[in-house]
Amino acid sequence: MIYKVVSLFAGCGGAECGLLGGFSYNNKGYANLPYELVYALDIDRKALDTHKLNLKCENVVVSDIRDIHEDSIPEHDMLIGGFPCQSFSTVNPTKDPFDDRANLYQEMVRIVKAKQPKVIVAENVKGLMTLHHGTIIKKIISAFEESGYVVSTALMNAADYEVPQRRERIIMVCVRKDIDKVFSFPLPVTANNRVPLSVAVRELAIADKKYYFSERAVQGMKNAKANMKRGLAQCLDEPCLTVTSHLAKVSLNSRDPVLLVDPTKELYRRFTPREAARIQSFPDSFTFAGSEADAYRQIGNAIAPVMFWHIAKSVLNVIGD
């Protein structure tokens, strides 16, 4: 049995890469899973160019979800989507949590009501759990419940699922009530033996100087006031801190993860796009369309493929007949 999947807010395809399986990462194979991607939607054309390069889907649509009529979306067994999360991020707690992007989950609910897939998997940032004392996530869960679903939620850390990155995300798995099966989240795989950053960063010193921070940037960090933000040099023996969509603009006066190449020379650098992709658990065979800045943005916005593989595999326990 092959289960048909629709992806909303698809981006470059991190979730879909994990969903479909059939790739290798960190010398381990992730088997093909019995899913078929029948529709992928995003407003970001460049991200979908990457999607097309790497994933098999004949119906890839560049559009604002608000302009999409539910009748144009094919029938499917499973709906996935990481609805935009900027308004829910803990990085910027002053962001308006009720702006237009925050309400895009309602568009997902609109399509759910019309199509009634067996299962929905939604993803968002950790901040959604506590924003406005939890009232927003309760509102979102209620909307899915009122659409006919039993909702299970968990805060999952990618580092517990074979990803060399401490990346916490709220995952909502909604099972249609008539299916009468209880979803169980996958148990942590690497909670006590996490994959180190060295899997993604093979060599600290590299030839291309464009990735290195200037001496001026280093001095600026050193001379900053004690209460100012500082770039966080990462230990290769542990998972990396969360990588974000502004990897191309990483600063030594921010809380972005960086690499300390040579302590004696105070030599720092940012991650290369391929290193960033590995931190997110993309296989090296996955290529990115557009400029390096485009690639960084796509990588930082993506769902970690390996973690999503574990989620999609667990969904099979409830989606099957």
Side-chain angles (χ1 to χ4, degrees), residues 19 32 51 60 182 202 205 243 247 273 276:
L19 173 91
N32 288 295
H51 198 288
V60 178
V182 178
R202 310 287 171 77
V243 293
L247 283 165

Side-chain angles (χ1 to χ4, degrees), residues 84-264:
C85 62
Q86 290 91 336
S87 302
F88 306 136
S89 176
T90 56
V91 174
N92 187 359
T94 63
K95 187 74 175 176
D96 178 10
F98 301 103
D99 68 10
D100 288 343
R101 287 178 299 182
N103 291 321
L104 285 177
Y105 80 90
Q106 295 174 353
E107 298 300 316
M108 195 171 183
V109 171
R110 171 176 64 87
I111 292 167
V112 164
K113 287 180 176 179
K115 294 298 182 179
Q116 290 289 293
K118 292 180 179 179
V119 177
I120 308 149
V121 181
E123 178 261 8
N124 218 287
V125 292
K126 178 183 178 180
L128 180 61
M129 297 181 69
T130 55
L131 197 64
H132 282 253
H133 306 290
T135 57
I136 293 179
I137 190 170
K138 288 178 182 177
K139 182 179 179 182
I140 294 171
I141 290 172
S142 294
F144 284 120
E145 289 176 338
E146 291 166 6
S147 301
Y149 291 81
V150 176
V151 182
S152 300
T153 64
L155 182 65
M156 297 182 69
N157 190 337
D160 291 336
Y161 298 91
E162 304 177 305
V163 178
Q165 178 187 188
R166 295 193 291 274
R167 187 182 188 90
E168 291 184 301
R169 291 294 183 266
I170 180 74
I171 304 295
M172 289 175 272
V173 178
C174 315
V175 180
R176 207 172 62 204
K177 289 179 180 178
D178 64 290
I179 292 175
D180 198 26
K181 290 184 180 180
V182 178
F183 175 77
S184 296
F185 282 91
L187 295 174
V189 180
T190 49
N192 298 317
N193 188 25
R194 290 179 166 178
V195 177
L197 177 57
S198 57
V199 164
V201 177
R202 310 287 171 77
E203 295 181 17
L204 269 176
I206 57 174
D208 200 329
K209 298 303 179 185
K210 69 180 179 180
Y211 299 109
Y212 289 79
F213 290 98
S214 66
E215 183 179 350
R216 180 179 179 182
V218 174
Q219 292 303 317
M221 178 186 70
K222 291 174 62 179
N223 295 331
K225 294 180 181 178
N227 63 345
M228 288 187 68
K229 296 177 179 179
R230 303 293 179 94
L232 296 177
Q234 300 299 289
C235 173
L236 295 185
D237 296 330
E238 300 173 358
C240 186
L241 290 179
T242 303
V243 293
T244 67
S245 61
H246 62 277
L247 283 165
K249 299 179 181 178
V250 165
S251 166
L252 282 174
N253 280 330
S254 70
R255 302 303 285 174
D256 301 302
V258 297
L259 293 169
L260 178 56
V261 178
D262 188 336
T264 62

Side-chain angles (χ1 to χ4, degrees), residues 292-314:
E292 281 201 346
D294 294 329
Y296 279 126
R297 187 187 73 257
Q298 294 168 29
I299 293 164
N301 281 331
I303 298 174
V306 167
M307 186 179 82
F308 202 84
W309 182 89
H310 286 284
I311 296 169
K313 186 179 179 184
S314 293

